[in-house]
Amino acid sequence: MTREIAVTRQLLRTGLPVYVIGDMNDRARFFCRYVAAVPQMHASSGGSVSRSGCRPPRGMGVDWILGSARVGFRDHAKWYGPLVRRATDHPIVLSRTWLR
């Protein structure tokens, strides 16, 4: 996670939108540590980190879509269709995104 935080900070310095997508097995621990260290990032599934504490998104799994402040999210969903179940033990995480 330390490397991911460092790389994200480096990418943010470019001024370009940044996405972090992947399987983060630590769930709440990942979200709270990562977003506290890189507050410009937010999850498509919601949640927040502030001085008063960490509130991970409800119903979070291990798969995440996060974006920088220039990224907006809408319609976060998990797809569990029959083809997904044949291919993986994880749902497909989806979200509409746009650049601000």
Side-chain angles (χ1 to χ4, degrees):
M1 195 176 321
T2 301
R3 286 184 190 168
E4 289 179 8
I5 290 167
V7 169
T8 302
R9 287 176 174 161
Q10 182 179 16
L11 290 170
L12 287 168
R13 285 193 293 272
T14 68
L16 296 171
V18 176
Y19 288 89
V20 173
I21 301 168
D23 179 337
M24 313 301 182
N25 286 322
D26 285 339
R27 299 175 192 229
R29 186 172 158 215
F30 159 76
F31 176 80
C32 293
R33 181 175 171 200
Y34 182 83
V35 176
V38 191
Q40 301 92 324
M41 300 297 287
H42 61 282
S44 64
S45 55
S48 65
V49 176
S50 67
R51 290 181 185 163
S52 61
C54 179
R55 292 182 178 197
R58 288 185 185 180
M60 72 184 141
V62 298
D63 300 304
W64 293 85
I65 303 173
L66 296 108
S68 61
R70 294 193 53 205
V71 175
F73 293 113
R74 186 178 74 179
D75 301 330
H76 174 88
K78 296 177 186 176
W79 183 36
Y80 296 91
L83 292 177
V84 173
R85 286 192 298 273
R86 287 182 61 192
T88 179
D89 61 340
H90 293 230
I92 301 296
V93 178
L94 307 164
S95 183
R96 294 176 192 244
T97 72
W98 69 91
L99 300 180
R100 300 177 192 190

